[in-house]
mmCIF file of all heavy atoms in Angstrom:
data_model
loop_
_atom_site.group_PDB
_atom_site.id
_atom_site.type_symbol
_atom_site.label_atom_id
_atom_site.label_comp_id
_atom_site.label_asym_id
_atom_site.label_seq_id
_atom_site.Cartn_x
_atom_site.Cartn_y
_atom_site.Cartn_z
ATOM 1 N N GLN A 46 71.155 -28.831 87.241
ATOM 2 C CA GLN A 46 70.401 -28.395 86.069
ATOM 3 C C GLN A 46 68.913 -28.346 86.389
ATOM 4 O O GLN A 46 68.417 -29.064 87.262
ATOM 5 C CB GLN A 46 70.655 -29.360 84.906
ATOM 6 C CG GLN A 46 72.026 -29.229 84.272
ATOM 7 C CD GLN A 46 72.124 -29.960 82.951
ATOM 8 O OE1 GLN A 46 71.467 -30.968 82.741
ATOM 9 N NE2 GLN A 46 72.962 -29.466 82.059
ATOM 10 N N ARG A 47 68.226 -27.512 85.661
ATOM 11 C CA ARG A 47 66.786 -27.443 85.793
ATOM 12 C C ARG A 47 66.182 -28.761 85.312
ATOM 13 O O ARG A 47 66.573 -29.281 84.272
ATOM 14 C CB ARG A 47 66.243 -26.276 84.968
ATOM 15 C CG ARG A 47 64.781 -25.964 85.176
ATOM 16 C CD ARG A 47 64.433 -24.691 84.429
ATOM 17 N NE ARG A 47 65.061 -23.520 85.043
ATOM 18 C CZ ARG A 47 65.219 -22.370 84.419
ATOM 19 N NH1 ARG A 47 64.810 -22.213 83.168
ATOM 20 N NH2 ARG A 47 65.783 -21.349 85.035
ATOM 21 N N GLU A 48 65.237 -29.301 86.091
ATOM 22 C CA GLU A 48 64.613 -30.562 85.708
ATOM 23 C C GLU A 48 63.097 -30.425 85.671
ATOM 24 O O GLU A 48 62.501 -29.686 86.449
ATOM 25 C CB GLU A 48 65.001 -31.692 86.678
ATOM 26 C CG GLU A 48 64.469 -31.540 88.084
ATOM 27 C CD GLU A 48 64.612 -32.806 88.927
ATOM 28 O OE1 GLU A 48 64.741 -33.921 88.363
ATOM 29 O OE2 GLU A 48 64.581 -32.677 90.168
ATOM 30 N N LEU A 49 62.503 -31.156 84.761
ATOM 31 C CA LEU A 49 61.055 -31.211 84.645
ATOM 32 C C LEU A 49 60.538 -32.237 85.642
ATOM 33 O O LEU A 49 60.923 -33.401 85.569
ATOM 34 C CB LEU A 49 60.662 -31.599 83.223
ATOM 35 C CG LEU A 49 59.182 -31.802 82.920
ATOM 36 C CD1 LEU A 49 58.397 -30.509 83.120
ATOM 37 C CD2 LEU A 49 59.009 -32.329 81.500
ATOM 38 N N VAL A 50 59.687 -31.821 86.571
ATOM 39 C CA VAL A 50 59.220 -32.751 87.595
ATOM 40 C C VAL A 50 57.774 -33.201 87.386
ATOM 41 O O VAL A 50 57.396 -34.268 87.858
ATOM 42 C CB VAL A 50 59.373 -32.165 89.011
ATOM 43 C CG1 VAL A 50 60.828 -31.914 89.328
ATOM 44 C CG2 VAL A 50 58.558 -30.888 89.193
ATOM 45 N N ALA A 51 56.981 -32.398 86.696
ATOM 46 C CA ALA A 51 55.583 -32.769 86.477
ATOM 47 C C ALA A 51 55.089 -32.101 85.204
ATOM 48 O O ALA A 51 55.475 -30.968 84.915
ATOM 49 C CB ALA A 51 54.709 -32.348 87.649
ATOM 50 N N GLN A 52 54.256 -32.806 84.461
ATOM 51 C CA GLN A 52 53.701 -32.244 83.234
ATOM 52 C C GLN A 52 52.279 -32.698 83.037
ATOM 53 O O GLN A 52 51.877 -33.751 83.534
ATOM 54 C CB GLN A 52 54.563 -32.606 82.023
ATOM 55 C CG GLN A 52 54.772 -34.074 81.793
ATOM 56 C CD GLN A 52 55.723 -34.306 80.614
ATOM 57 O OE1 GLN A 52 55.430 -33.935 79.479
ATOM 58 N NE2 GLN A 52 56.851 -34.932 80.892
ATOM 59 N N ILE A 53 51.536 -31.880 82.295
ATOM 60 C CA ILE A 53 50.128 -32.170 82.059
ATOM 61 C C ILE A 53 49.777 -31.762 80.633
ATOM 62 O O ILE A 53 50.127 -30.668 80.177
ATOM 63 C CB ILE A 53 49.239 -31.445 83.099
ATOM 64 C CG1 ILE A 53 47.774 -31.828 82.923
ATOM 65 C CG2 ILE A 53 49.431 -29.933 83.063
ATOM 66 C CD1 ILE A 53 46.892 -31.397 84.095
ATOM 67 N N THR A 54 49.094 -32.654 79.923
ATOM 68 C CA THR A 54 48.691 -32.358 78.554
ATOM 69 C C THR A 54 47.469 -31.449 78.561
ATOM 70 O O THR A 54 46.836 -31.220 79.597
ATOM 71 C CB THR A 54 48.362 -33.644 77.798
ATOM 72 O OG1 THR A 54 47.174 -34.224 78.373
ATOM 73 C CG2 THR A 54 49.503 -34.636 77.859
ATOM 74 N N SER A 55 47.123 -30.961 77.375
ATOM 75 C CA SER A 55 45.939 -30.117 77.271
ATOM 76 C C SER A 55 44.684 -30.864 77.698
ATOM 77 O O SER A 55 43.729 -30.270 78.196
ATOM 78 C CB SER A 55 45.786 -29.606 75.838
ATOM 79 O OG SER A 55 45.693 -30.698 74.938
ATOM 80 N N GLY A 56 44.703 -32.182 77.546
ATOM 81 C CA GLY A 56 43.551 -32.993 77.920
ATOM 82 C C GLY A 56 43.563 -33.475 79.360
ATOM 83 O O GLY A 56 42.622 -34.134 79.799
ATOM 84 N N GLY A 57 44.639 -33.152 80.086
ATOM 85 C CA GLY A 57 44.670 -33.483 81.500
ATOM 86 C C GLY A 57 45.466 -34.720 81.876
ATOM 87 O O GLY A 57 45.499 -35.105 83.048
ATOM 88 N N ASN A 58 46.122 -35.356 80.914
ATOM 89 C CA ASN A 58 46.988 -36.486 81.250
ATOM 90 C C ASN A 58 48.260 -35.971 81.906
ATOM 91 O O ASN A 58 48.823 -34.958 81.490
ATOM 92 C CB ASN A 58 47.332 -37.283 80.002
ATOM 93 C CG ASN A 58 46.115 -37.976 79.428
ATOM 94 O OD1 ASN A 58 45.304 -38.537 80.156
ATOM 95 N ND2 ASN A 58 45.958 -37.933 78.118
ATOM 96 N N THR A 59 48.700 -36.691 82.933
ATOM 97 C CA THR A 59 49.829 -36.219 83.724
ATOM 98 C C THR A 59 50.979 -37.227 83.737
ATOM 99 O O THR A 59 50.779 -38.426 83.496
ATOM 100 C CB THR A 59 49.392 -35.949 85.182
ATOM 101 O OG1 THR A 59 48.883 -37.159 85.751
ATOM 102 C CG2 THR A 59 48.317 -34.878 85.234
ATOM 103 N N ASP A 60 52.154 -36.710 84.016
ATOM 104 C CA ASP A 60 53.328 -37.547 84.182
ATOM 105 C C ASP A 60 54.263 -36.863 85.165
ATOM 106 O O ASP A 60 54.281 -35.619 85.245
ATOM 107 C CB ASP A 60 54.037 -37.774 82.845
ATOM 108 C CG ASP A 60 55.012 -38.934 82.903
ATOM 109 O OD1 ASP A 60 54.910 -39.770 83.829
ATOM 110 O OD2 ASP A 60 55.899 -39.013 82.032
ATOM 111 N N TYR A 61 55.023 -37.680 85.905
ATOM 112 C CA TYR A 61 55.880 -37.154 86.957
ATOM 113 C C TYR A 61 57.245 -37.833 86.929
ATOM 114 O O TYR A 61 57.359 -39.004 86.552
ATOM 115 C CB TYR A 61 55.237 -37.411 88.332
ATOM 116 C CG TYR A 61 53.863 -36.820 88.476
ATOM 117 C CD1 TYR A 61 52.728 -37.551 88.131
ATOM 118 C CD2 TYR A 61 53.691 -35.532 88.959
ATOM 119 C CE1 TYR A 61 51.461 -37.003 88.250
ATOM 120 C CE2 TYR A 61 52.428 -34.973 89.091
ATOM 121 C CZ TYR A 61 51.318 -35.719 88.732
ATOM 122 O OH TYR A 61 50.061 -35.169 88.856
ATOM 123 N N VAL A 62 58.241 -37.114 87.371
ATOM 124 C CA VAL A 62 59.531 -37.735 87.588
ATOM 125 C C VAL A 62 59.394 -38.679 88.778
ATOM 126 O O VAL A 62 58.568 -38.456 89.685
ATOM 127 C CB VAL A 62 60.604 -36.645 87.832
ATOM 128 C CG1 VAL A 62 60.399 -35.944 89.147
ATOM 129 C CG2 VAL A 62 61.994 -37.226 87.712
ATOM 130 N N GLU A 63 60.156 -39.742 88.786
ATOM 131 C CA GLU A 63 60.000 -40.794 89.778
ATOM 132 C C GLU A 63 60.077 -40.270 91.205
ATOM 133 O O GLU A 63 59.339 -40.717 92.097
ATOM 134 C CB GLU A 63 61.051 -41.869 89.559
ATOM 135 C CG GLU A 63 60.798 -43.169 90.314
ATOM 136 C CD GLU A 63 59.539 -43.885 89.885
ATOM 137 O OE1 GLU A 63 59.194 -43.831 88.684
ATOM 138 O OE2 GLU A 63 58.884 -44.483 90.764
ATOM 139 N N SER A 64 60.935 -39.310 91.446
ATOM 140 C CA SER A 64 61.183 -38.843 92.807
ATOM 141 C C SER A 64 59.995 -38.120 93.435
ATOM 142 O O SER A 64 59.967 -37.943 94.654
ATOM 143 C CB SER A 64 62.406 -37.921 92.823
ATOM 144 O OG SER A 64 62.199 -36.802 92.003
ATOM 145 N N VAL A 65 59.010 -37.706 92.633
ATOM 146 C CA VAL A 65 57.861 -36.989 93.200
ATOM 147 C C VAL A 65 56.549 -37.744 93.018
ATOM 148 O O VAL A 65 55.507 -37.290 93.499
ATOM 149 C CB VAL A 65 57.722 -35.566 92.602
ATOM 150 C CG1 VAL A 65 59.040 -34.809 92.703
ATOM 151 C CG2 VAL A 65 57.214 -35.586 91.181
ATOM 152 N N LYS A 66 56.594 -38.886 92.363
ATOM 153 C CA LYS A 66 55.371 -39.658 92.148
ATOM 154 C C LYS A 66 54.711 -40.011 93.474
ATOM 155 O O LYS A 66 55.371 -40.434 94.415
ATOM 156 C CB LYS A 66 55.683 -40.939 91.361
ATOM 157 C CG LYS A 66 55.828 -40.715 89.873
ATOM 158 C CD LYS A 66 56.071 -42.032 89.140
ATOM 159 C CE LYS A 66 56.201 -41.787 87.653
ATOM 160 N NZ LYS A 66 56.488 -43.047 86.905
ATOM 161 N N GLY A 67 53.397 -39.833 93.513
ATOM 162 C CA GLY A 67 52.647 -40.137 94.716
ATOM 163 C C GLY A 67 52.629 -39.006 95.733
ATOM 164 O O GLY A 67 51.878 -39.058 96.713
ATOM 165 N N ARG A 68 53.454 -37.978 95.506
ATOM 166 C CA ARG A 68 53.508 -36.841 96.440
ATOM 167 C C ARG A 68 53.043 -35.533 95.793
ATOM 168 O O ARG A 68 52.458 -34.694 96.471
ATOM 169 C CB ARG A 68 54.935 -36.669 96.970
ATOM 170 C CG ARG A 68 55.477 -37.879 97.686
ATOM 171 C CD ARG A 68 56.815 -37.574 98.366
ATOM 172 N NE ARG A 68 57.860 -37.204 97.408
ATOM 173 C CZ ARG A 68 58.514 -36.045 97.416
ATOM 174 N NH1 ARG A 68 58.224 -35.133 98.329
ATOM 175 N NH2 ARG A 68 59.462 -35.797 96.522
ATOM 176 N N PHE A 69 53.338 -35.363 94.518
ATOM 177 C CA PHE A 69 52.993 -34.119 93.802
ATOM 178 C C PHE A 69 51.834 -34.393 92.856
ATOM 179 O O PHE A 69 51.727 -35.475 92.268
ATOM 180 C CB PHE A 69 54.182 -33.617 92.994
ATOM 181 C CG PHE A 69 55.328 -33.062 93.787
ATOM 182 C CD1 PHE A 69 55.411 -33.215 95.169
ATOM 183 C CD2 PHE A 69 56.349 -32.372 93.141
ATOM 184 C CE1 PHE A 69 56.475 -32.702 95.890
ATOM 185 C CE2 PHE A 69 57.421 -31.848 93.849
ATOM 186 C CZ PHE A 69 57.479 -32.023 95.223
ATOM 187 N N THR A 70 50.992 -33.383 92.683
ATOM 188 C CA THR A 70 49.888 -33.465 91.731
ATOM 189 C C THR A 70 49.827 -32.182 90.923
ATOM 190 O O THR A 70 49.701 -31.089 91.492
ATOM 191 C CB THR A 70 48.551 -33.680 92.450
ATOM 192 O OG1 THR A 70 48.608 -34.863 93.242
ATOM 193 C CG2 THR A 70 47.417 -33.824 91.433
ATOM 194 N N ILE A 71 49.904 -32.318 89.610
ATOM 195 C CA ILE A 71 49.799 -31.162 88.724
ATOM 196 C C ILE A 71 48.378 -31.075 88.195
ATOM 197 O O ILE A 71 47.734 -32.098 87.936
ATOM 198 C CB ILE A 71 50.825 -31.256 87.571
ATOM 199 C CG1 ILE A 71 50.843 -29.963 86.748
ATOM 200 C CG2 ILE A 71 50.571 -32.481 86.692
ATOM 201 C CD1 ILE A 71 51.993 -29.908 85.719
ATOM 202 N N SER A 72 47.890 -29.857 88.055
ATOM 203 C CA SER A 72 46.563 -29.651 87.483
ATOM 204 C C SER A 72 46.560 -28.338 86.706
ATOM 205 O O SER A 72 47.497 -27.543 86.816
ATOM 206 C CB SER A 72 45.489 -29.635 88.580
ATOM 207 O OG SER A 72 45.745 -28.596 89.518
ATOM 208 N N ARG A 73 45.509 -28.142 85.937
ATOM 209 C CA ARG A 73 45.443 -26.934 85.126
ATOM 210 C C ARG A 73 44.012 -26.439 85.012
ATOM 211 O O ARG A 73 43.065 -27.221 85.134
ATOM 212 C CB ARG A 73 46.029 -27.174 83.736
ATOM 213 C CG ARG A 73 45.245 -28.160 82.889
ATOM 214 C CD ARG A 73 46.029 -28.545 81.616
ATOM 215 N NE ARG A 73 46.168 -27.425 80.695
ATOM 216 C CZ ARG A 73 47.097 -27.369 79.742
ATOM 217 N NH1 ARG A 73 47.968 -28.368 79.598
ATOM 218 N NH2 ARG A 73 47.158 -26.330 78.930
ATOM 219 N N ASP A 74 43.863 -25.156 84.753
ATOM 220 C CA ASP A 74 42.564 -24.544 84.506
ATOM 221 C C ASP A 74 42.656 -23.850 83.152
ATOM 222 O O ASP A 74 43.318 -22.812 83.028
ATOM 223 C CB ASP A 74 42.243 -23.544 85.617
ATOM 224 C CG ASP A 74 40.854 -22.944 85.506
ATOM 225 O OD1 ASP A 74 40.367 -22.742 84.376
ATOM 226 O OD2 ASP A 74 40.260 -22.638 86.545
ATOM 227 N N ASN A 75 42.020 -24.443 82.153
ATOM 228 C CA ASN A 75 42.137 -23.926 80.786
ATOM 229 C C ASN A 75 41.283 -22.679 80.549
ATOM 230 O O ASN A 75 41.367 -22.078 79.480
ATOM 231 C CB ASN A 75 41.760 -25.008 79.782
ATOM 232 C CG ASN A 75 42.827 -26.082 79.668
ATOM 233 O OD1 ASN A 75 43.987 -25.855 80.001
ATOM 234 N ND2 ASN A 75 42.435 -27.262 79.214
ATOM 235 N N VAL A 76 40.461 -22.324 81.508
ATOM 236 C CA VAL A 76 39.687 -21.078 81.409
ATOM 237 C C VAL A 76 40.506 -19.921 81.965
ATOM 238 O O VAL A 76 40.577 -18.844 81.369
ATOM 239 C CB VAL A 76 38.344 -21.202 82.153
ATOM 240 C CG1 VAL A 76 37.614 -19.867 82.163
ATOM 241 C CG2 VAL A 76 37.484 -22.292 81.510
ATOM 242 N N LYS A 77 41.128 -20.168 83.101
ATOM 243 C CA LYS A 77 41.926 -19.124 83.755
ATOM 244 C C LYS A 77 43.374 -19.096 83.267
ATOM 245 O O LYS A 77 44.138 -18.215 83.673
ATOM 246 C CB LYS A 77 41.905 -19.326 85.269
ATOM 247 C CG LYS A 77 40.534 -19.170 85.900
ATOM 248 C CD LYS A 77 40.604 -19.362 87.404
ATOM 249 C CE LYS A 77 39.240 -19.184 88.038
ATOM 250 N NZ LYS A 77 39.307 -19.394 89.517
ATOM 251 N N ASN A 78 43.746 -20.053 82.428
ATOM 252 C CA ASN A 78 45.143 -20.156 81.945
ATOM 253 C C ASN A 78 46.128 -20.288 83.103
ATOM 254 O O ASN A 78 47.170 -19.624 83.141
ATOM 255 C CB ASN A 78 45.510 -18.959 81.064
ATOM 256 C CG ASN A 78 44.776 -18.961 79.745
ATOM 257 O OD1 ASN A 78 44.125 -19.937 79.376
ATOM 258 N ND2 ASN A 78 44.849 -17.861 79.021
ATOM 259 N N MET A 79 45.777 -21.139 84.042
ATOM 260 C CA MET A 79 46.594 -21.355 85.238
ATOM 261 C C MET A 79 47.029 -22.815 85.293
ATOM 262 O O MET A 79 46.326 -23.711 84.835
ATOM 263 C CB MET A 79 45.790 -21.044 86.503
ATOM 264 C CG MET A 79 45.286 -19.624 86.622
ATOM 265 S SD MET A 79 46.528 -18.483 87.244
ATOM 266 C CE MET A 79 46.798 -19.090 88.905
ATOM 267 N N VAL A 80 48.174 -23.020 85.908
ATOM 268 C CA VAL A 80 48.625 -24.381 86.196
ATOM 269 C C VAL A 80 49.063 -24.409 87.659
ATOM 270 O O VAL A 80 49.582 -23.418 88.187
ATOM 271 C CB VAL A 80 49.743 -24.821 85.227
ATOM 272 C CG1 VAL A 80 50.975 -23.936 85.350
ATOM 273 C CG2 VAL A 80 50.105 -26.265 85.415
ATOM 274 N N TYR A 81 48.815 -25.548 88.318
ATOM 275 C CA TYR A 81 49.047 -25.678 89.747
ATOM 276 C C TYR A 81 49.912 -26.892 90.040
ATOM 277 O O TYR A 81 49.956 -27.852 89.245
ATOM 278 C CB TYR A 81 47.709 -25.832 90.482
ATOM 279 C CG TYR A 81 46.712 -24.750 90.176
ATOM 280 C CD1 TYR A 81 45.729 -24.944 89.217
ATOM 281 C CD2 TYR A 81 46.759 -23.530 90.843
ATOM 282 C CE1 TYR A 81 44.809 -23.947 88.919
ATOM 283 C CE2 TYR A 81 45.839 -22.521 90.556
ATOM 284 C CZ TYR A 81 44.874 -22.740 89.594
ATOM 285 O OH TYR A 81 43.968 -21.741 89.304
ATOM 286 N N LEU A 82 50.567 -26.860 91.192
ATOM 287 C CA LEU A 82 51.318 -28.014 91.658
ATOM 288 C C LEU A 82 51.060 -28.174 93.152
ATOM 289 O O LEU A 82 51.503 -27.346 93.946
ATOM 290 C CB LEU A 82 52.816 -27.865 91.383
ATOM 291 C CG LEU A 82 53.647 -29.104 91.709
ATOM 292 C CD1 LEU A 82 53.307 -30.237 90.734
ATOM 293 C CD2 LEU A 82 55.144 -28.794 91.626
ATOM 294 N N GLN A 83 50.319 -29.218 93.497
ATOM 295 C CA GLN A 83 50.107 -29.554 94.895
ATOM 296 C C GLN A 83 51.235 -30.466 95.336
ATOM 297 O O GLN A 83 51.439 -31.531 94.747
ATOM 298 C CB GLN A 83 48.758 -30.259 95.082
ATOM 299 C CG GLN A 83 48.472 -30.698 96.504
ATOM 300 C CD GLN A 83 48.309 -29.538 97.459
ATOM 301 O OE1 GLN A 83 47.645 -28.557 97.149
ATOM 302 N NE2 GLN A 83 48.916 -29.650 98.634
ATOM 303 N N MET A 84 51.957 -30.055 96.366
ATOM 304 C CA MET A 84 53.117 -30.814 96.830
ATOM 305 C C MET A 84 52.862 -31.251 98.268
ATOM 306 O O MET A 84 52.697 -30.405 99.152
ATOM 307 C CB MET A 84 54.377 -29.950 96.748
ATOM 308 C CG MET A 84 54.632 -29.377 95.363
ATOM 309 S SD MET A 84 56.221 -28.522 95.237
ATOM 310 C CE MET A 84 55.971 -27.191 96.398
#
Side-chain angles (χ1 to χ4, degrees):
Q46 286 193 329
R47 189 173 291 161
E48 67 167 338
L49 176 63
V50 297
Q52 57 184 297
I53 184 167
T54 67
S55 58
N58 293 318
T59 60
D60 196 18
Y61 303 90
V62 69
E63 194 64 35
S64 60
V65 308
K66 280 183 179 178
R68 301 188 297 121
F69 289 11
T70 302
I71 187 171
S72 59
R73 66 190 293 160
D74 185 326
N75 287 338
V76 174
K77 296 181 179 179
N78 291 350
M79 299 278 295
V80 62
Y81 306 97
L82 186 68
Q83 178 66 44
M84 305 187 297

